[in-house]
């Protein structure tokens, strides 16, 4: 039982980060109908920026802020400079463009900072609290959970309660109708990319200190799991990203603890397969629209 | 002044022959003009070209003397143009209230926006009862009401409508056209109404223009057009 609680609680923190990264994929999917295969490499660039600023200034928080800003700017720049210029009739040019971008960014990072893993320190202790003899979440885990919850809450408010959010949603669902209502749809797509990559950068920033350290590939595994999470939840559904993120995080935690770490990705793949067979649109896919 | 005019408008799809070839028409300030014609006459193409949704190969579109040619759709809308497109243009994923607010966003801020949305509910009672319902749960009639209300909420100078009566029960059509006529009389709105429902359209219009294979083959006062059986027969098929 103690072991179960411990594994669940570590899975929870990992799940929150997964949910955040998956949410970033959902945001860009809704804004541009594109899966951004460069999300991990772009997030890694932002983490390097944070790392460099923290190293130079000695402040984790300044680094965090710069990392988020880098992610946001990079998102806007990639949308304006690359994605917008590709043909949109099929998804293929966007995918190939993104994969090319991954190669350029990761090679660029390796040239600039070297290919080795650099340790990144967490701003809080990673030693778990022990409650009744059971090790549970660490102070850093709590920080991750609180940050992820706050950011997801803020994004939910932005999308559902503000007029920018209304424009973002309308432009994603019905671009032509939105233009007829005066919404500057191309600008909304840029805003979507900006929000998305900043969110992905935050998820990567939160996860790197708990992993092997910073490298150009530091966010790759996170992306793979988060992509599975986004598909399981339904690419269109922010709520799906949250629920599936927590679910997959806990599932991997339990499988890692009771079976082995190498079985965890298989468990995630098995879950993905089952969901795709039973509900191809994802668990939280929207229902059918009224036809008459 | 909100006269809508287009001169020598040429529009086509792909490399095909033009659907509209050098069409010119003027809808004077405050006029309600019915654009009549059978399926495939080019009504939808014309309205979409005026809004910039279909690129024109040549010609100009003027709104109150201002040249709209070359502007994006959203900028044309921000100059006072509004289109209620063919079919169900309600954003199905948004609620009635959100659809209306979306229509008002660029035009009104703060309390004025709330007032504009409230005025839309007054115009269309059934929408007020469904304000929190998602667009995809509305009936066809409610959707068309919402599409019209959402266009009016931005106080456009010129309103284009593409077959608003298509597929709706006669009583709903009568209500929609009634609201349209009252609004045009009250506010001096300029209206270009594309319809196959000739009787309905001519009952609210001052003037009727018959489009056939991309050309304006008749342009007469509405009453005259409605009373001319030969013309009706030749171009409108009844
Ligand atoms: N997207 C399109 N691509 C190619 N041809 C089109 C397209 N839309 C309409 N057309 C053609 O343009 C002509 C006029 O159509 P349309 O403007 O829809 O007429 P209406 O609205 O009067 O029924 C028709 O011959 C139609 O086949
Ligand atoms: Mg048509």
């Amino acid at each position: 039982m103690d072991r179960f609680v411990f594994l669940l609680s570590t899975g929870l923190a990992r799940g929150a980060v997964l949910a955040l990264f998956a949410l970033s994929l959902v945001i860009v999917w809704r804004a541009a109908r594109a899966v951004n295969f460069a999300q991990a490499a772009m997030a890694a660039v932002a983490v390097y920026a944070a790392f460099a600023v923290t190293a130079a200034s000695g402040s984790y928080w300044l680094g965090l802020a710069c990392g988020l800003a880098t992610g946001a700017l990079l998102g806007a720049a990639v949308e304006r400079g690359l994605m917008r210029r590709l043909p949109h009739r099929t998804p293929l040019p966007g995918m190939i463009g993104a994969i090319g971008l991954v190669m350029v960014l990761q090679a660029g990072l390796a040239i600039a900072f070297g290919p080795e893993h650099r340790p990144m320190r967490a701003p809080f202790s990673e030693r778990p609290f022990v409650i009744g003899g059971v090790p549970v979440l660490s102070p850093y885990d709590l920080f991750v959970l609180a940050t992820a919850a706050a950011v997801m809450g803020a994004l939910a408010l932005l999308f559902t309660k503000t007029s920018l959010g209304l424009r973002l949603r309308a432009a994603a669902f019905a671009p032509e109708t939105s233009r007829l209502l005066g919404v500057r749809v191309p600008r909304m797509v840029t805003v979507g990319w900006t929000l998305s990559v900043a969110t992905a950068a935050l998820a990567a920033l939160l996860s790197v200190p708990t992993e092997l350290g910073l490298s150009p590939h530091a966010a790759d595994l996170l992306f793979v799991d988060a992509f599975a999470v986004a598909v399981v939840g339904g690419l269109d559904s922010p709520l799906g990203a949250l629920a599936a993120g927590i679910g997959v995080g806990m599932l991997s935690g339990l499988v890692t603890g009771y079976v082995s770490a190498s079985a965890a990705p298989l468990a995630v793949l098995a879950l993905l397969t089952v969901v795709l067979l039973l509900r191809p649109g994802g668990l939280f896919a929207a229902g059918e629209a009224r036809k008459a | 002044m909100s006269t809508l005019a287009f001169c020598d408008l040429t529009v086509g799809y792909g490399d095909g022959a033009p659907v509209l070839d050098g069409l010119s028409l003027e809808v004077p300030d405050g006029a309600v003009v019915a654009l009549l014609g059978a399926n495939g006459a080019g009504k939808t193409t014309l309205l979409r070209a005026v809004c910039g949704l279909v690129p024109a190969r040549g010609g100009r579109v003027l709104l109150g003397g201002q040249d709209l040619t070359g502007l994006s759709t959203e900028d044309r809308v921000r100059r006072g143009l509004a289109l209620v497109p063919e079919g169900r243009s309600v954003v199905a994923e948004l609620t009635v209230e959100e659809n209306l607010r979306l229509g008002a966003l660029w035009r009104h801020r703060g309390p004025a926006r709330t007032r504009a949305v409230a005025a839309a509910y007054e115009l269309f009672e059934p929408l007020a009862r469904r304000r929190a319902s998602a667009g995809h749960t509305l009936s066809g009639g409610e959707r068309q009401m919402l599409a019209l209300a959402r266009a009016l909420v931005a106080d456009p100078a010129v309103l284009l409508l593409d077959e608003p009566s298509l597929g709706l029960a006669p009583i709903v059509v009568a209500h929609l056209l009634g609201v349209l006529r009252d609004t045009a009389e009250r506010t001096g709105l300029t209206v270009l109404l594309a319809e196959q429902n000739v009787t309905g359209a001519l009952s609210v219009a001052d003037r009727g223009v018959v489009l056939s294979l991309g050309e304006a083959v008749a342009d007469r006062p509405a009453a005259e057009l409605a009373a001319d059986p030969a013309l009706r027969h030749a171009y409108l098929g009844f």
Side-chain angles (χ1 to χ4, degrees), chain B residues 189-212:
Chain B
L189 180 67
T190 307
V191 179
L192 181 59
L193 168 66
E195 266 297 351
Q196 288 195 63
N197 172 358
V198 176
T199 323
L202 289 179
S203 73
V204 299
D206 318 317
R207 210 174 107 207
V209 174
V210 181
L211 205 61
S212 175

Side-chain angles (χ1 to χ4, degrees), chain A residues 159-164 166-167 169-170 173-174 176-186 287-292, chain B residues 48 51 53 72-75 77-78 83 85 88-89 91 93-94 98 101-103 105-106 113 136-139 143 150:
Chain A
F159 274 94
T160 56
K161 299 283 181 242
T162 69
S163 60
L164 175 64
L166 179 57
R167 279 195 288 254
R169 283 184 294 146
F173 292 132
E176 189 176 291
T177 303
S178 301
R179 296 178 65 196
L180 283 173
L181 300 172
V183 177
R184 298 193 193 283
V185 172
E288 282 289 300
R290 175 168 167 173
K291 290 276 192 308
Chain B
R48 290 173 62 85
C51 292
L53 289 172
S72 67
T73 299
E74 42 274 44
D75 283 319
V77 167
R78 286 161 185 255
L83 169 68
R88 316 209 158 93
S89 66
V91 184
E93 294 85 353
L94 301 182
E98 287 172 331
R101 282 213 312 135
L102 187 65
L105 276 187
W106 71 268
R113 191 180 292 159
H136 68 84
T137 64
L138 300 184
S139 72
R143 284 186 205 205
R150 193 182 58 186

Side-chain angles (χ1 to χ4, degrees), chain B residues 142-160:
Chain B
E142 288 166 334
R143 284 186 205 205
Q144 201 56 269
M145 278 180 214
L146 179 52
L148 179 55
R150 193 182 58 186
L152 291 177
V153 100
D155 299 334
V158 174
L159 178 63
L160 313 171

